[in-house]
Amino acid sequence: MAKPPSLTGENGFHFPQAIVFPSPSPSGEDSAAFDTPGGTPLSNGTGCCGTPSPAESCAQPLCEARDSTRFGEGIKYVSTDGKELACGWGGFTPGCLQLFNTSKGVLFFLCVASFLQGMTVNGFINTVITSIERHFDLRSYQSGLIASSYDIAACLCLTFVSYFGGNGHKPRWLGWGVMVMGLGSLVFALPHFTTGLYKVHSSADVGVCAANQSQSCAPATSSLSSYRFVFMLGQFLHGMGATPLYTLGVTYLDENVKTNYSPVYIAVFYTAAILGPAAGYLVGGMFLNIYTEIHRETDISPENTLWVGAWWIGFLGAGAASLLISIPILGYPQRLPGSQRYIVMRVSEAHQLKDGSHKKASDPDFGKTVKDLPRSVLLLLKNPTFIFLCLAGATEATLIAGMSTFGPKFLESQFSLSASEAATLFGYLVVPAGGGGTFLGGFLVNKFKLRCSGIIKLCLLCTLTSLMAIFVFFIRCPNVPMAGVTHTYTGSVLSGDQVNLTAPCNAACGCLRETYSPVCGSNNLTYYSPCHAGCKRVSEKLRNGKKVYKECSCFEKNTFPGEAEAGKCTSSCEKRTLLLFFMFIVILFTFLSSIPALTATLRCVPDRQRSFALGIQWIVVRTLGSIPGPIAFGSMIDKSCLLWQDQCGEKGSCYVYENSAMSLYTLITGLVYKVLGTTFFMVACVQYKPPPAESAQGSSDTSENGNSDLQETKPSLPAAEDI
């Protein structure tokens, strides 16, 4: 039997092997005939076991295709790649594994991997950064460098991984990447086991008014600070391992499902990545309530500023889980059974360049060598739709990164909450708004069967909506009065930027500026610490789970009782519900445009450049968005600081913000980036030039049950004659 010639689909995909077409079904969904050169109709029918398509075959991929299947007189197709489409490792391909050799199976394992990545990098890291600063004597800029090592590694690896991985065996790149990510988590936990025991002693009366409390400044940083390089290595491995996940993982899903189902699959994948940080905050917070030396007892409580929780447990668990989940991912084939028909039937929506150079990417051999790398970059740079989608993604990433970093701090200041209360409240906003918006975006693209132009318009609509909602930051809550900062010790309002924490009532107490432990007095004034309130002793009984300080001399004489309770005074902001509602809207519509924007990026470039395009986009998004985003928001928010931490004469972090100024600066920053994002989406929509209409002729629209893609074209296939 003569082999059919090599086939090249209309999108430039090359299929060197002979193609098996199972026996036709009289009424199958894919029973539309293909016209062969000889005029014999062929049917791309159902697979074995009565399943509707090879993609949902019950056991072996393509049912370990029969030796021959006849469609008509003298015509035979033979499978030469049945083994290559099997799920397994090398020659070990048991039949039970083939139950997972479907697009849904791939989606499940990739969702678990993205969940672990989000939980570790965006959850555990942010939760434990304060604990490792205390344990290993790290400065803030050093811990910031640890966090940034992830993005640095990703930017360095993205071009290489997306270019060569996009033309290689994607599941193997993904599996090894998840394994490297797991090793990064284990390396990050390593310093706990290689250092000595963490020891700390504390007195119950620290912070109350007593003479001679002054102490010398701490000596230079200890040798433990050198462990920051181990943490940076762990984060670097995290970044390397996660690089294939959001480039090759997305394109692997997109290639192995129908075009109109792709946004839903990608939305589920990204939703899992968003739920990961929520789990990281929850689980990481639970571990931080356990003392870091789990086999020893201590006389301090988690509320103590010297407490270090068991930060390392989460990284051990996440590392082990990542190593386990990498094994099934490594077993997937280069393409799933039945995916070939989706590739052949796909209609290109790539932006049409005026000089026609986009057709170069249709060459089956394009992108297989490093020599094509400059030309591939040039093709993307000449695509204005792709460029402006990248810039729009960078502006949205800036807002997401800035809000995720400083959102809890904003709520903490506006509503006078503790750090844990603000983080929990912000989590209640982000999980439904971020996760729901991400999934809803993919669902809308699928529901309305939007083409590339319509998808960009949907992104523009979402950005405009969030732009209108961002004016919510005009709403602000009044500052809770604080003695010596916003109010005098007698209760009158301070003018200007004057800060004076010393008064006759606490002058003899020798209060330390380094010890910030706010208390709420019975006169509804917040004080810097029990010492600054003139409190002389601590009650043995707790009130609502909080310490109570007695004999406080800084209260007015007619105030009774002269007591203070640990923590800041509560805020009575009447606009709290309105502010939270519109913040929910901003987050919802910001995330709602994320999957449509990603889908538009995949469709506006040639098929062979999809993985590489995502890699380039991630580099732009990280370098212009997620890396400088927190810096931009942080620098603006710092302008509203009223009270800075004093570390032996050096300015540390901010303790108290001026709420109206914080709202104003947040509004300005958010407004600038939202206007830029709207402009970029608008230009991308105007610049997009779809393929000519005749390329979609003969296509079949999606049926009521969604059994075919929007405007799919089924090309003619040559038949091999039986000799």
Side-chain angles (χ1 to χ4, degrees), residues 649-672:
E650 294 184 7
K651 184 184 292 186
S653 59
C654 183
Y655 285 148
V656 180
Y657 293 93
E658 211 286 304
N659 284 351
S660 60
M662 176 184 267
S663 294
L664 178 61
Y665 290 133
T666 303
L667 172 66
I668 293 173
T669 308
L671 202 59
V672 168

Side-chain angles (χ1 to χ4, degrees), residues 57-73:
S57 60
C58 59
Q60 303 290 340
L62 294 183
C63 307
E64 295 293 345
R66 304 176 183 85
D67 292 338
S68 64
T69 304
R70 296 185 177 275
F71 290 88
E73 196 68 31

Side-chain angles (χ1 to χ4, degrees), residues 274-547:
I274 292 173
L275 295 179
Y281 277 104
L282 178 63
V283 177
M286 292 170 54
F287 289 144
L288 289 182
N289 287 324
I290 305 172
Y291 189 56
T292 184
E293 308 294 344
I294 57 177
H295 58 284
R296 298 175 65 91
E297 294 184 357
T298 181
D299 59 348
I300 62 174
S301 63
E303 289 78 18
N304 194 293
T305 55
L306 300 176
W307 173 273
V308 173
W311 58 269
W312 48 273
I313 299 179
F315 292 97
L316 289 182
S322 297
L323 293 178
L324 288 175
I325 204 67
S326 67
I327 297 174
I329 295 176
L330 283 168
Y332 275 96
Q334 189 168 3
R335 58 183 176 87
L336 295 179
S339 63
Q340 181 173 294
R341 61 174 181 163
Y342 303 140
I343 298 173
V344 173
M345 295 164 66
R346 190 186 301 275
V347 176
S348 175
E349 298 180 58
H351 175 80
Q352 306 294 292
L353 300 177
K354 293 181 180 180
D355 58 2
S357 57
H358 59 278
K359 296 179 181 178
K360 295 178 182 178
S362 299
D363 187 346
D365 295 324
F366 180 80
K368 292 186 177 180
T369 63
V370 72
K371 294 180 181 179
D372 291 328
L373 179 59
R375 183 166 42 162
S376 187
V377 173
L378 181 61
L379 284 177
L380 292 178
L381 293 178
K382 292 168 65 177
N383 188 333
T385 305
F386 171 75
I387 294 298
F388 284 103
L389 284 176
C390 289
L391 294 175
T395 58
E396 295 297 283
T398 303
L399 285 170
I400 292 173
M403 287 300 296
S404 61
T405 304
F406 297 104
K409 179 175 287 189
F410 179 85
L411 297 181
E412 179 182 350
S413 178
Q414 294 290 324
F415 304 144
S416 188
L417 303 174
S418 67
S420 59
E421 290 172 337
T424 303
L425 181 59
F426 190 71
Y428 288 149
L429 284 177
V430 170
V431 171
T438 300
F439 180 80
L440 183 61
F443 174 79
L444 291 176
V445 174
N446 170 259
K447 177 68 175 177
F448 297 104
K449 303 173 179 61
L450 299 175
R451 303 301 292 268
C452 187
S453 178
I455 294 172
I456 300 176
K457 292 176 182 176
L458 174 63
C459 295
L460 180 59
L461 178 62
C462 294
T463 312
L464 281 171
T465 304
S466 57
L467 173 61
M468 296 297 103
I470 209 166
F471 284 99
V472 66
F473 291 109
F474 270 127
I475 301 174
R476 70 284 308 269
C477 296
N479 276 85
V480 173
M482 184 172 184
V485 181
T486 60
H487 286 65
T488 64
Y489 270 80
T490 58
S492 60
V493 179
L494 281 174
S495 59
D497 297 330
Q498 299 175 357
V499 173
N500 185 10
L501 299 174
T502 303
C505 61
N506 62 23
C509 293
C511 301
L512 297 177
R513 183 73 179 265
E514 290 80 13
T515 306
Y516 176 67
S517 179
V519 294
C520 181
S522 52
N523 57 353
N524 291 324
L525 269 180
T526 299
Y527 292 85
Y528 190 89
S529 72
C531 179
H532 288 83
C535 303
K536 295 180 174 58
R537 66 184 182 90
V538 185
S539 174
E540 296 180 357
K541 295 183 179 180
L542 300 179
R543 181 185 300 166
N544 299 323
K546 299 180 180 180
K547 289 183 179 180

